[in-house]
Amino acid sequence: MFGLFRKRDPHLQPATELYGSVVAQARAPEFYRDLMVPDTKEGRFEMIVLHLSLLIDRIRSEAGSADPFAKALTSVFVTDMDDNMREIGIGDLSVPRKVKKTAGALYDRTLQYREISEEGGDGALAAAISENVWSEADHPQAAKLADYRERARASLEKQALADIQAGTCRFPDVHAAPLYS
């Protein structure tokens, strides 16, 4: 009954659509088949976080850190993680703790990747991605995934913030020409 009186967040629908684009891109078979990202819960999670962190940074770079759309996008992610954990049978009592951990991982990765990208460390980004995605210090495909991430970042910077906040974005082809040869 109290939900009837709650004001609906106008950012929720476009944030949900944008998050759907993130999940669709994160599930692209090329990541798992060609770049050997583990096709596991953890591997899929890392791919979602890799893409979502790019969008959060893009939105906040122009709109500021208190942007309500970025908050709505993060909220959609948290809701999805909660739903997925309950769906796979994680007990109701441990779900909030695990969701908090996944939200913390999103925050940590966003900060980590942002700092490395700002410093311009190609090798450092590949090392961080290798550790996060493959739990290895130097996976052979990490440099290709780091390059993809930087191409995606550059692509998102060229896209209008209004379009992104309307729920649409375009990610580059996984196998496009590398930025750094």
Side-chain angles (χ1 to χ4, degrees):
M1 177 171 134
F2 293 107
L4 296 173
F5 301 106
R6 227 178 263 146
K7 190 174 181 180
R8 180 139 168 89
D9 181 355
H11 304 291
L12 191 58
Q13 183 60 37
T16 301
E17 291 171 15
L18 191 60
Y19 183 72
S21 297
V22 166
V23 171
Q25 183 68 13
R27 290 183 178 167
E30 296 87 353
F31 291 119
Y32 306 95
R33 180 188 63 228
D34 304 338
L35 298 182
M36 300 184 327
V37 170
D39 194 6
T40 62
K41 293 180 304 201
E42 295 80 10
R44 291 186 299 271
F45 171 78
E46 289 297 337
M47 294 310 298
I48 289 171
V49 167
L50 183 133
H51 289 88
L52 190 57
S53 67
L54 286 166
L55 280 167
I56 289 170
D57 272 351
R58 170 63 182 95
I59 294 162
R60 290 185 171 169
S61 72
E62 196 170 326
S65 62
D67 183 67
F69 187 80
K71 289 181 180 180
L73 186 58
T74 303
S75 178
V76 171
F77 165 77
V78 167
T79 300
D80 183 47
M81 292 298 110
D82 185 281
D83 292 346
N84 281 305
M85 287 181 195
R86 291 178 193 282
E87 189 176 299
I88 62 173
I90 294 176
D92 286 344
L93 295 176
S94 61
V95 168
R97 180 176 30 86
K98 290 184 182 285
V99 168
K100 185 177 180 180
K101 188 175 177 182
T102 62
L106 172 63
Y107 176 80
D108 292 344
R109 304 288 194 283
T110 302
L111 186 61
Q112 178 187 32
Y113 294 151
R114 178 188 316 134
E115 288 175 352
I116 292 170
S117 289
E118 287 173 356
E119 293 169 6
D122 301 340
L125 182 58
I129 287 174
S130 184
E131 190 62 43
N132 292 332
V133 174
W134 292 280
S135 301
E136 294 178 21
D138 188 24
H139 192 276
Q141 297 295 327
K144 289 180 182 176
L145 189 53
D147 182 74
Y148 164 80
R149 187 186 185 284
E150 288 303 291
R151 285 187 290 109
R153 185 174 63 81
S155 173
L156 289 170
E157 285 176 1
K158 294 175 186 172
Q159 296 174 44
L161 181 61
D163 291 342
I164 292 171
Q165 290 176 324
T168 61
C169 73
R170 293 169 314 284
F171 289 103
D173 179 36
V174 176
H175 294 302
L179 285 174
Y180 314 106
S181 303

